[in-house]
Amino acid sequence: MDTRLTPLWRAVVAVLTVAGILLAMNQVFFWNPGGFSLLRNSYLYFVLACFLPICFLAFPIAKAVRHRPVPLYDAALALIAAGTCVYFGLNGENIVNQGWDYVAPQTAVLLAYVLWILVLEALRRTAGLIVTVIALAFSLYPLAAGHMPLDFLRGISADLTGSARAHAMGVDSILGLPLQTAGLILIGFLLFGVALQHTGGATFFYDLAQAVFGRYRGGSAKVSVFSSAFMGMMSGSAVSNVLTTGPMTIPAMKKAGFPGRYAAGIEATASTGGTVTPPIMGSAAFLMVSFIGVPYSEIALAAAVPAVLYFLGIFVQVDAYSAKAGLRGEAGPGAGAVGGILARGWPYLAALVGLVVLLVVQQRESQAPYWIVGFLVVVLIVRLAAQGKARQIPESLYSFVVSAGRTIAEIIGIIAGVGLIVGGLSMTGVSLSLARELVAAVGENVVLILLAGAVTCFILGMGMTVSAVYVFLAIVMAPALTQLGVNPIAAHLFVIYWATVSYITPPVGLAAFAAANIAKTPPMATAWKATRLGAVKYLVPFAFVFNPALLGQGSGLDIALAIVTSVVGVIFLGCAFEGWMVGVGRALTVPAQILMGVLAAASLVAPSAVMSFAGLLGCAVVAFATRFWNAGDETVSAERERARMAAEAAADEGRSPAEA
């Protein structure tokens, strides 16, 4: 139970959340009661007035005090945040007409400093210290831009007061594209994700996966893969996915015979993939809407095939490992009862289908999630009433609103803070020159700039949120890629994919560490296991950059060929990583593993169908040869794997291999 938010502060959070959601709905549905309408800047200020205070109420100043009730200083910060944003919201027209971002009254200048500081503190509480230091550095960059030693870093200087005015009242910083996207699109989708979870969606998708896959070999791990994928569509947060589904899936996998590290690695890898899985994806995908200027439905459709390839890679490795280790499925309660589960959980599937229809057919991306949330709320009320639990309806709805407030406030706090990075670069004019200089530095070599971008995404991802990494590189690297002829959607999705890689990769694999904590395994060893399981994620971004047909960009024939060759390539790649040839039922020798892995990877990133087919033909030859020249059958492999698992379990428990 949340001991920080006492009944009083829960009520405050609920009121602010309802006000913020109604504001957002008024803006996207064009209600404008009594003819009253808001300028965009006023609307965004009022959104901040609703959700920025929640950052100070729900998120403590330090983890050590997270269980204590809201202290007086946090209540004061929340009040100041609300008052400051309301002041700017009421003066939205004056800010635009009188150019307050250049010349403003003294009160506005003072409150500009206040808002700047409050946004940084909200960012620290929601995203951590590292990203806050980076945002602070970029927000102060205009003070030194004119004196930078390197030409491509040199820009227009501004004094401290000018920077404060531009950050608080300009259109490119706190109120820039990230917050504009959040205010118009992201709030609704975050609300939808919370509604789906709160009404029982997580349990339904887990039960459905259990019924479909539980009785097959490695069934418990396959359940983890698919339930985590569905959870990712709801929350868009890798760590949140692990903490939600992990307590169910990891013990089940260990009970079925999977080693603790493997079980935790599967959960972390699958949960991370959920952040790039349509139709919801993570918050960074919604920011693409503003940066690229295309409907969100187009981005979601483009991301569908890469997401399928990612999860197919994990699924194949799980299946190959299960065969190699001699693991079998478990009937268990509910296995095979797909019909009954669908009958009980049809509203959740209907919600996803309805969302897709509204996005793709009706093209109502800003309104779609609110319609579906309304549907889910009605389903919740009817279900509770039918079960004779009508008295629980008010508390259930109240809890839903408070949870939604926390979730939306966290993202708004992060995105407002990330806006300072955009503001610092835009204010100085440096953002216009960085992409040009980057292209010149790599000699217009697409491969070099992709490798540099991947490394940069990974390094930044160790300390920044995916949204922060994306916004930064959407300004710097994505334009450079498009200048070199890369498809714009492919360029931006490349950044998002590689920004999420750090969630499972050492030395700071947050999702892997969270899963290791549940499985009681060494965090670093678990992260390495997750890295191998998620290997496809490292290759898929290169694949769709060199072959945009994987994103649905091209003719029908090109798209079909790209999908077929990629699916087969991922299957071979998964077998190579696990050292077991699915379908042949034999273990691959080490040389065969290496050769098949290289050929499969080459077939994935090959820019032409002929090269892809050549790579796949080579993989097929290796698979055929494995039937006759291999490292053992199921019995030999299972014995070897059991010995290795026992040694690994002993190491996790601090025993010697001999004791195992």
Side-chain angles (χ1 to χ4, degrees):
M1 182 178 177
D2 189 351
T3 55
R4 178 174 173 82
L5 291 178
T6 59
L8 170 63
W9 295 116
R10 275 172 58 87
V12 171
V13 168
V15 170
L16 289 171
T17 302
V18 170
I21 291 172
L22 289 175
L23 266 173
M25 293 180 71
N26 176 69
Q27 202 74 4
V28 302
F29 285 100
F30 311 106
W31 289 339
N32 300 331
F36 174 76
S37 62
L38 290 171
L39 293 176
R40 174 170 291 187
N41 68 336
S42 290
Y43 164 65
L44 294 176
Y45 283 127
F46 287 133
V47 166
L48 285 175
C50 292
F51 294 109
L52 201 59
I54 299 176
C55 293
F56 301 107
L57 298 176
F59 301 93
I61 194 170
K63 289 183 179 179
V65 296
R66 63 183 180 275
H67 297 303
R68 300 178 187 174
V70 176
L72 186 60
Y73 56 80
D74 279 345
L77 287 174
L79 185 61
I80 293 170
T84 300
C85 294
V86 167
Y87 170 84
F88 284 125
L90 293 175
N91 284 281
E93 190 172 347
N94 293 330
I95 292 172
V96 173
N97 294 337
Q98 298 176 22
W100 280 15
D101 51 333
Y102 293 101
V103 179
Q106 194 61 39
T107 301
V109 171
L110 176 62
L111 291 180
Y113 279 108
V114 172
L115 183 60
W116 187 358
I117 294 169
L118 288 172
V119 166
L120 283 170
E121 173 58 13
L123 179 63
R124 187 190 68 80
R125 294 186 183 213
T126 54
L129 182 61
I130 295 177
V131 65
T132 305
V133 170
I134 293 171
L136 174 62
F138 275 98
S139 66
L140 293 172
Y141 181 63
L143 277 65
H147 311 288
M148 299 300 289
L150 301 176
D151 289 342
F152 68 91
L153 292 177
R154 194 174 301 131
I156 303 169
S157 290
D159 59 18
L160 189 61
T161 299
S163 298
R165 287 197 305 266
H167 284 312
M169 293 176 276
V171 295
D172 293 320
S173 189
I174 294 173
L175 299 191
L177 282 178
L179 189 62
Q180 292 171 28
T181 304
L184 293 174
I185 300 177
L186 190 50
I187 289 177
F189 280 90
L190 290 171
L191 187 65
F192 167 70
V194 175
L196 204 55
Q197 291 185 63
H198 191 81
T199 56
T203 303
F204 163 71
F205 288 119
Y206 176 82
D207 290 343
L208 180 62
Q210 180 69 43
V212 174
F213 299 105
R215 63 186 182 276
Y216 298 108
R217 68 185 181 196
S220 58
K222 293 171 182 176
V223 168
S224 172
V225 172
F226 281 86
S227 61
S228 296
F230 280 114
M231 272 300 301
M233 292 190 299
M234 289 188 267
S235 72
S237 167
V239 177
S240 175
N241 294 352
V242 170
L243 297 177
T244 301
T245 59
M248 293 184 288
T249 60
I250 292 175
M253 283 186 276
K254 292 176 70 175
K255 182 181 178 182
F258 285 92
R261 299 178 193 181
Y262 201 95
I266 291 170
E267 177 59 41
T269 308
S271 292
T272 301
T275 63
V276 289
T277 304
I280 302 180
M281 305 175 68
S283 56
F286 293 93
L287 299 178
M288 282 179 63
V289 173
S290 296
F291 278 101
I292 305 180
V294 300
Y296 176 71
S297 56
E298 188 173 334
I299 293 170
L301 287 173
V305 172
V308 170
L309 294 177
Y310 177 76
F311 283 104
L312 177 63
I314 307 172
F315 187 87
V316 170
Q317 288 187 74
V318 166
D319 190 60
Y321 180 86
S322 301
K324 179 175 66 174
L327 301 179
R328 298 289 179 259
E330 297 179 0
V338 178
I341 292 172
L342 290 175
R344 294 192 303 271
W346 67 265
Y348 310 114
L349 291 178
L352 289 177
V353 172
L355 183 65
V356 171
V357 170
L358 288 172
L359 285 174
V360 178
V361 180
Q362 299 294 321
Q363 297 286 313
R364 296 181 179 180
E365 59 186 21
S366 59
Q367 299 178 0
Y370 294 104
W371 286 110
I372 305 302
V373 169
F375 166 73
L376 287 172
V377 168
V378 170
V379 168
L380 175 65
I381 292 172
V382 171
R383 180 165 290 175
L384 288 175
Q387 295 172 352
K389 300 177 182 178
R391 293 183 179 181
Q392 297 180 14
I393 293 175
E395 176 56 34
S396 184
L397 294 177
Y398 186 53
S399 177
F400 161 60
V401 170
V402 173
S403 297
R406 278 184 60 98
T407 300
I408 297 171
E410 182 177 9
I411 299 300
I412 293 293
I414 292 171
I415 285 178
V418 167
L420 292 170
I421 298 175
V422 182
L425 292 172
S426 300
M427 207 183 305
T428 58
V430 170
S431 60
L432 301 175
S433 63
L434 283 175
R436 183 179 64 250
E437 296 293 338
L438 186 57
V439 171
V442 299
E444 300 191 3
N445 188 308
V446 176
V447 176
L448 283 180
I449 199 170
L450 286 174
L451 291 174
V455 173
T456 304
C457 287
F458 173 70
I459 293 173
L460 292 177
M462 290 191 291
M464 298 170 65
T465 64
V466 174
S467 298
V469 175
Y470 170 71
V471 167
F472 178 71
L473 291 179
I475 298 171
V476 177
M477 196 190 83
L481 285 171
T482 55
Q483 286 182 33
L484 294 175
V486 174
N487 179 277
I489 293 180
H492 286 259
L493 271 180
F494 180 91
V495 172
I496 291 177
Y497 261 77
W498 269 94
T500 60
V501 157
S502 63
Y503 280 118
I504 58 172
T505 313
V508 190
L510 295 180
F513 289 0
N517 184 57
I518 297 171
K520 308 300 180 187
T521 55
M524 200 62 68
T526 301
W528 282 117
K529 190 72 72 175
T531 298
R532 194 192 75 187
L533 287 162
V536 171
K537 191 171 190 174
Y538 301 87
L539 290 173
V540 165
F542 290 94
F544 60 62
V545 165
F546 291 120
N547 192 356
L550 286 173
L551 303 178
Q553 311 290 313
S555 67
L557 180 61
D558 289 340
I559 294 171
L561 284 174
I563 292 174
V564 170
T565 55
S566 297
V567 165
V568 178
V570 165
I571 292 173
F572 280 127
L573 194 63
C575 293
F577 275 110
E578 278 303 337
W580 183 268
M581 193 62 236
V582 173
V584 175
R586 293 292 186 272
L588 291 159
T589 62
V590 173
Q593 277 186 266
I594 296 172
L595 181 58
M596 180 176 285
V598 170
L599 290 172
S603 72
L604 270 177
V605 300
S608 70
V610 174
M611 295 174 66
S612 293
F613 279 116
L616 296 179
L617 181 61
C619 290
V621 171
V622 175
F624 179 78
T626 299
R627 178 67 182 83
F628 305 100
W629 297 281
N630 54 69
D633 59 13
E634 290 188 20
T635 303
V636 175
S637 296
E639 290 177 356
R640 186 185 301 124
E641 192 60 30
R642 277 194 290 269
R644 192 194 62 77
M645 289 162 54
E648 189 177 278
D652 291 347
E653 296 170 8
R655 296 180 287 123
S656 67
E659 293 174 317

